[in-house]
Amino acid sequence: IVETTPDPLLVLDGTLRVIRANRAFYESFQVTSVETINRLLYDLGNGQWNIPKLRILLEKILPQHTEVHDYEVEHDFPGIGLRIMRLNARRLSVEHNRDTLFLLAFRDVTDREQTERAVRENRELLRVTLASIGDAVIATDREGRITYLNAVASVIDTMMVRGRV
């Protein structure tokens, strides 16, 4: 199951040592199994996984819950740069020896988040630009319904409604 999942996955023991990682983890984070297996998660990549939000998830949130979904962690990795990840984690109990395992899945949402941020910034820039134009600006949708009036157009519209124009 671990190997068939396209998202990076880690299986950790109760002390947060890596028991298993899938190929997607190795490829995404540019590490090898020798650098990963049987190592404490926080020590991976010369400590690059010692991420405060990851510590909160694994040491405070997950021990109190069976699973956590879409926990966002943003981190600048030395080898691959800034990554925004949504983590899904599940605490597993092994019945026979009562050991606790943690399954940690990473979904890289960096591109999507950066695109959404850029769209929000562009919308805000457009809003400010249109609001600051001294002429009336009216935007409509394809059916001709007004979707935007800047302040000048709004004043003119109000005056027309009141019959002053």
Side-chain angles (χ1 to χ4, degrees):
I1 293 171
V2 171
E3 280 304 324
T4 61
T5 302
D7 289 330
L9 284 178
L10 286 178
V11 179
L12 309 171
D13 69 12
T15 66
L16 305 178
R17 286 194 179 280
V18 178
I19 295 173
R20 183 161 179 106
N22 68 354
R23 183 176 47 242
F25 180 84
Y26 297 130
E27 291 172 359
S28 295
F29 297 105
Q30 300 177 0
V31 293
T32 66
S33 63
V34 172
E35 300 168 312
T36 306
I37 301 301
N38 293 322
R39 297 192 189 258
L40 186 63
L41 175 64
Y42 305 131
D43 293 339
L44 294 181
N46 294 321
Q48 69 181 348
W49 283 89
N50 193 0
I51 305 167
K53 276 193 80 173
L54 184 60
R55 280 189 176 273
I56 291 169
L57 172 68
L58 294 173
E59 296 173 15
K60 295 189 175 158
I61 298 172
L62 195 56
Q64 297 174 9
H65 302 278
T66 305
E67 58 188 68
V68 176
H69 296 280
D70 294 327
Y71 183 83
E72 190 168 295
V73 173
E74 187 171 322
H75 186 66
D76 194 0
F77 290 92
I80 60 173
L82 179 69
R83 306 307 321 145
I84 303 169
M85 301 170 289
R86 296 256 168 86
L87 278 59
N88 291 304
R90 183 172 189 85
R91 187 181 56 203
L92 307 169
S93 295
V94 180
E95 291 183 27
H96 301 293
N97 57 12
R98 302 205 182 254
D99 287 339
T100 298
L101 299 176
F102 298 103
L103 180 63
L104 195 55
F106 305 84
R107 170 132 318 149
D108 188 340
V109 294
T110 307
D111 293 340
R112 185 176 74 203
E113 288 292 322
Q114 289 174 340
T115 299
E116 288 175 4
R117 284 180 189 168
V119 166
R120 283 192 301 274
E121 289 170 4
N122 285 336
R123 280 188 182 148
E124 179 62 12
L125 177 61
L126 179 61
R127 186 192 68 74
V128 169
T129 301
L130 292 175
S132 66
I133 294 174
D135 294 326
V137 176
I138 301 170
T140 62
D141 63 16
R142 290 182 179 187
E143 285 76 39
R145 293 182 295 239
I146 295 174
T147 58
Y148 175 83
L149 294 172
N150 72 349
V152 175
S154 184
V155 169
I156 293 170
D157 181 56
T158 302
M159 292 171 64
M160 289 175 68
V161 169
R162 293 182 180 163
R164 294 186 183 158
V165 174

